[in-house]
Amino acid sequence: MFSKVSSYLWGQGSTGPPGYEMMDVISDKLSLWILHSGVKKQTKEELSIFVCDLKTKSPSQIIFAKNTIQKLKTLKHPNILRYIDSSENPEFIFLITEPVLPLSIALNDSSIVNCYGIYSIAKVLAFLNEDCNSVVGDLGLKSLFVSPGLDWKLGGFEYFSKFSPELLETLPKNEVFSPPEVTNSTGRTTQHLIDAWGLGCIVWEVHNGALSRPGQLKNLGTIPSQLASLTSHLLNPRPGNRLSIRAFLERGEEPEGYFNSWYVKVNKWIEEIQILSADQRQTLYETITDKSDWLEPGFCRHKALPMLVHAFDFCAAQSLVLQPLLKIGCKVEESEYQTKIVPCLVKMFVSPDRATRISLLQTISSYVAFLTTDVVSNQIYPHLVHGFNDTSIPIREHTIQAVGVLAPKLSSALINQNLLKCLAKSQMDAQPGIRYKTNLCLGKLAPFLDKSTRSKVLCSAYTRGLKDTDTHARGACLSGLQEGTRYVTANDMANLVIPSLSPYLLDPDETFRDRITEIITHLVQTVSSLAGDPEALKQQTIDTGVGDNTWASWAIGSISGLYNKSKPVAPSSDTQTEPQIPTEIPKDEPIKLSQGPLKLATHYGAMPINNEVKEASNEADSASDYEGDGWGNDDWQSMPVDKSVTKVASGKADGWEDFEVVGKDNEIERKRKERKLRNQLAREKRGTAGKPKGMGGVKKCD
């Protein structure tokens, strides 16, 4: 509400106090002042400027205006209008304060915001009455203001003074807002009872609108039942029976009281954050996370976000701050997200604490949209990549999932030169679940691979993965082959894919064998039909394509259409989200290629679901394995490797480009055989044929 009104009223500058630029009028319905929006010229800081026109005011009113400035200078309280500066010339008195709007303009429809507003005004009035032995005297909506953080601020200190019996003569005799003893100058009263009546009027106006005559106070209208009884005691015409403000607060804070709400507690904890215990801080963060949908954007931007950023800088358990920080981030402007939240996220990726890293990886989809390519490639990925080597299984697993989400923000060099080597390692991990996730991740990375090597990389990766002993990992490879052929050239399909799939026609698993048969049959048909169209083959060779208009997309659609014309074609891997795996699939149900990757990957049963944040954090100690730079420098070869998986490699493990490929026209294979033949002829010429290198004439031992 504040931002809307402020932006609407912002206009061209006009003459104002020295050093400040005065803007448009916000309100001219205050007692002695006209409220303008303004900025400080040097810093462009937004603020409010109260102007008192001396030409239209009586000498007594000028005294009251100067009294306001004097009191605001000396009184400091979170709910008192914050004084910044003041100045005076022969025509005007200027009062500069924090940026605010009159409550009459910025009154919020949210019941929780109004509840805390009434509570905060009652608290500051109790402070002024009891601790300062003073009375405000003239209370109403006109004396209240709202800050950008939706805090209610008390202004209107024109008649503020120490209480004395003679004060009744100087207070304004307003028939609507003044208590009966002030209006009639009869009866005995105290500062507590005068302001208690004014507080009752404020409560009535907040819930029922502007108050025009005293008789309206008898009907409490829409005031909530919990608050109505307390308000009626505040508005008792007999001073002796009137409820004091301190008693009003105490009754409202009872277990069933009006002020016993989560929003009031959150605001109190934010004000007292420096003295809260660890348990209280954790409760605060959890409450903000759970209730974030109820929080107003102004509160999130100006109160919750600064508190969380400050807590992050000085909090040992940064993982506790992450969840509320991300929830609050959804309600702030993108510029604030970039300047305040993104630096915190970058620092968290450097943290060696496992609980923090798990939280970051699991929630990465909620903040990836706010990360730029430069931040991801240069500040986040160098720390994220070490998760592939972590001894904690959940860290490795969630790291693989995270790179799939970050792929659109990673540079091509990182994906093709570094990330592929890491995934090649992960495809040989000892944990079947990690190998399964790796195969799924490849499908998400396919659109971002370099076109010159994408075809062979995918072929090598998936054909290697088909040799995995885990059924789920093999199923994921079948899914990848089905979806990834749109990125494979016709030449590689004929020379790499189909020959690599052929041995699995003899697989002992009948279901897996049938799937292979279906895929090979229709790939052969697709390549044959393409071979008969030279123009289409030439165009496909130039660009394998990533859209739905490519030949491979047509091929997949044709395969699907042959089996089930009523079902849509499966979406591409770059737009498809990770499937939710069912817990049970009927074994006797026939599986068709048109049913998509999910059926192929899960025919053998459900893949175990990963642990959540708390379970993963419990399994992995909060202390990291790495010290010094925060992550460690374990060598790739030191990672535990499943022997059943490593046997599929050709001897090198730094990338799929080193794997042996099948095909008569393979240029690399041909050159390798030529070099081998030349070396053999050279050894025969020297008379050392058949002898191991370096052994000379010594006969090789058996």
Side-chain angles (χ1 to χ4, degrees):
M1 178 65 184
F2 182 91
S3 59
K4 292 181 180 179
V5 175
S6 179
S7 61
Y8 174 75
L9 295 173
W10 200 269
Q12 298 298 323
S14 59
T15 304
Y20 300 91
E21 185 177 358
M22 192 166 63
M23 313 299 284
D24 284 345
V25 174
I26 293 179
S27 176
D28 58 357
K29 296 181 180 180
L30 306 179
S31 57
L32 302 176
W33 306 90
I34 298 176
L35 176 58
H36 293 253
S37 59
V39 293
K40 190 173 184 178
K41 292 181 179 179
Q42 186 176 2
T43 62
K44 301 301 180 182
E45 176 188 2
E46 186 178 354
L47 39 79
S48 292
I49 302 176
F50 292 80
V51 181
C52 178
D53 189 352
L54 300 181
K55 300 187 297 295
T56 61
K57 299 297 184 291
S58 64
S60 60
Q61 289 177 322
I62 296 175
I63 293 175
F64 289 139
K66 293 182 178 181
N67 183 62
T68 300
I69 296 176
Q70 180 183 359
K71 300 307 179 185
L72 288 178
K73 276 184 178 181
T74 56
L75 291 171
K76 302 299 179 183
H77 190 277
N79 296 108
I80 291 179
L81 192 61
R82 181 167 58 87
Y83 171 90
I84 295 179
D85 197 1
S86 62
S87 62
E88 181 180 353
N89 61 35
E91 297 181 349
F92 301 100
I93 296 177
F94 299 102
L95 169 63
I96 297 93
T97 69
E98 61 182 309
V100 290
L101 290 174
L103 182 59
S104 57
I105 295 177
L107 186 61
N108 201 296
D109 295 333
S110 173
S111 59
I112 58 174
V113 173
N114 294 338
C115 173
Y116 177 68
I118 295 172
Y119 173 82
S120 59
I121 293 302
K123 188 170 63 173
V124 69
L125 287 175
F127 164 75
L128 295 174
N129 291 164
E130 297 183 3
D131 298 341
C132 301
N133 192 30
S134 302
V135 60
V136 178
D138 188 23
L139 286 173
L141 287 188
K142 64 182 181 299
S143 59
L144 301 181
F145 301 89
V146 181
S147 71
L150 302 185
D151 286 327
W152 289 14
K153 303 285 186 174
L154 178 62
F157 282 83
E158 291 83 3
Y159 304 98
F160 181 86
S161 64
K162 294 288 185 180
F163 178 78
S164 64
E166 295 77 16
L167 180 64
L168 297 177
E169 299 297 329
T170 60
L171 291 176
K173 294 178 173 50
N174 190 314
E175 293 183 357
V176 179
F177 297 100
S178 299
E181 64 269 23
V182 174
T183 304
N184 303 325
S185 299
T186 60
R188 301 179 60 184
T189 187
T190 65
Q191 69 272 25
H192 309 84
L193 303 181
I194 294 175
D195 287 341
W197 178 275
L199 179 60
C201 294
I202 290 174
V203 174
W204 195 96
E205 286 192 298
V206 167
H207 294 91
N208 298 298
L211 183 62
S212 58
R213 61 182 188 275
Q216 292 178 290
L217 295 174
K218 296 180 181 180
N219 181 13
L220 298 179
T222 60
I223 299 178
S225 57
Q226 291 176 302
L227 187 60
S229 60
L230 298 177
T231 305
S232 63
H233 286 86
L234 289 175
L235 296 173
N236 194 309
R238 296 183 179 181
N241 297 333
R242 193 175 300 158
L243 188 68
S244 69
I245 297 177
R246 178 62 63 187
F248 172 79
L249 281 171
E250 292 174 352
R251 293 187 186 183
E253 291 177 324
E254 292 177 354
E256 301 298 328
Y258 179 68
F259 299 129
N260 187 26
S261 72
W262 64 268
Y263 189 75
V264 173
K265 292 179 180 177
V266 165
N267 279 273
K268 290 171 62 178
W269 285 334
I270 291 177
E271 293 176 358
E272 303 168 356
I273 187 68
Q274 301 295 341
I275 60 175
L276 292 182
S277 64
D279 292 339
Q280 289 175 320
R281 292 188 182 189
Q282 182 174 354
T283 303
L284 170 62
Y285 303 146
E286 292 174 351
T287 304
I288 293 177
T289 303
D290 297 338
K291 303 291 186 179
S292 59
D293 294 338
W294 296 86
L295 298 176
E296 296 288 333
F299 171 86
C300 295
R301 291 179 56 195
H302 298 281
K303 289 196 71 175
L305 181 58
M307 179 273 298
L308 291 171
V309 172
H310 183 269
F312 171 82
D313 293 333
F314 298 97
C315 179
Q318 294 178 341
S319 58
L320 298 177
V321 184
L322 177 62
Q323 293 297 330
L325 194 63
L326 295 178
K327 286 286 187 178
I328 294 298
C330 298
K331 297 194 174 186
V332 303
E333 296 179 357
E334 185 174 356
S335 59
E336 287 182 299
Y337 201 106
Q338 295 291 337
T339 57
K340 296 181 180 180
I341 298 181
V342 170
C344 295
L345 296 175
V346 172
K347 291 179 182 178
M348 286 186 183
F349 273 101
V350 183
S351 171
D353 181 67
R354 279 208 176 98
T356 301
R357 290 155 61 191
I358 281 285
S359 298
L360 278 172
L361 295 174
Q362 288 191 322
T363 57
I364 196 168
S365 59
S366 63
Y367 59 84
V368 65
F370 299 97
L371 302 178
T372 63
T373 301
D374 180 69
V375 169
V376 173
S377 298
N378 299 326
Q379 300 183 50
I380 292 180
Y381 182 78
H383 304 287
L384 172 69
V385 72
H386 293 290
F388 287 102
N389 273 343
D390 200 286
T391 57
S392 170
I393 296 174
I395 292 289
R396 299 204 303 274
E397 190 168 337
H398 288 294
T399 299
I400 295 171
Q401 291 177 305
V403 295
V405 178
L406 288 175
K409 300 296 182 74
L410 289 174
S411 65
S412 177
L414 284 179
I415 293 177
N416 293 282
Q417 298 177 15
N418 184 276
L419 181 55
L420 285 181
K421 293 184 178 182
C422 296
L423 291 176
K425 287 277 188 177
S426 298
Q427 203 179 31
M428 298 189 299
D429 196 277
Q431 297 297 321
I434 293 179
R435 302 198 299 270
Y436 168 79
K437 293 291 183 182
T438 302
N439 293 335
L440 292 180
C441 182
L442 284 171
K444 298 179 181 180
L445 290 178
F448 309 102
L449 298 179
D450 186 78
K451 288 184 178 181
S452 62
T453 59
R454 176 168 55 192
S455 178
K456 288 183 172 55
V457 167
L458 291 177
C459 292
S460 298
Y462 284 131
T463 54
R464 163 181 159 185
L466 287 174
K467 299 179 182 180
D468 199 311
T469 57
D470 181 69
T471 57
H472 306 291
R474 292 211 302 175
C477 285
L478 281 179
S479 304
L481 282 172
Q482 178 185 350
E483 292 298 315
T485 49
R486 69 185 64 210
Y487 306 111
V488 180
T489 63
N491 183 65
D492 287 339
M493 290 184 67
N495 292 285
L496 300 181
V497 179
I498 296 176
S500 298
L501 294 179
S502 299
Y504 299 103
L505 294 172
L506 301 176
D507 194 274
D509 190 304
E510 182 180 0
T511 304
F512 185 80
R513 190 168 62 245
D514 291 342
R515 303 288 73 73
I516 291 292
T517 302
E518 292 178 3
I519 294 176
I520 290 178
T521 300
H522 292 285
L523 288 179
V524 169
Q525 294 177 358
T526 303
V527 174
S528 299
S529 62
L530 189 64
D533 189 348
E535 290 297 327
L537 180 61
K538 180 180 179 181
Q539 180 63 30
Q540 187 272 335
T541 305
I542 296 174
D543 185 3
T544 57
V546 295
D548 290 336
N549 296 326
T550 62
W551 72 272
S553 177
W554 167 84
I556 296 298
S558 301
I559 295 172
S560 301
L562 289 174
Y563 282 88
N564 193 344
K565 296 183 179 180
S566 63
K567 294 186 178 181
V569 179
S572 61
S573 59
D574 57 331
T575 59
Q576 182 178 1
T577 56
E578 188 173 302
Q580 296 296 325
I581 303 174
T583 56
E584 183 176 356
I585 298 178
K587 300 297 182 181
D588 55 350
E589 180 182 350
I591 303 176
K592 298 180 179 180
L593 191 62
S594 60
Q595 292 174 317
L598 175 60
K599 201 72 173 181
L600 293 173
T602 61
H603 175 75
Y604 304 102
M607 188 68 191
I609 303 300
N610 300 330
N611 295 332
E612 297 298 330
V613 178
K614 294 183 179 179
E615 296 177 359
S617 300
N618 291 336
E619 179 182 343
D621 298 332
S622 60
S624 174
D625 296 328
Y626 311 111
E627 297 178 356
D629 62 352
W631 293 94
N633 54 1
D634 293 346
D635 187 78
W636 285 120
Q637 305 298 335
S638 64
M639 293 181 62
V641 178
D642 188 350
K643 294 181 179 180
S644 63
V645 180
T646 55
K647 66 182 181 181
V648 306
S650 64
K652 298 182 181 181
D654 58 348
W656 291 297
E657 65 275 9
D658 297 322
F659 280 78
E660 184 177 0
V661 292
V662 181
K664 295 180 180 180
D665 299 330
N666 190 292
E667 185 69 17
I668 298 177
E669 178 69 10
R670 184 181 62 80
K671 291 182 179 180
R672 187 182 67 82
K673 290 181 179 180
E674 290 178 355
R675 287 197 304 270
K676 183 177 180 181
L677 181 60
R678 288 197 300 268
N679 293 338
Q680 184 177 356
L681 293 174
R683 287 196 300 270
E684 290 177 354
K685 186 176 182 180
R686 293 194 301 267
T688 59
K691 298 180 182 180
K693 185 178 180 180
M695 296 183 64
V698 180
K699 187 177 181 180
K700 183 179 179 181
C701 298
D702 295 330

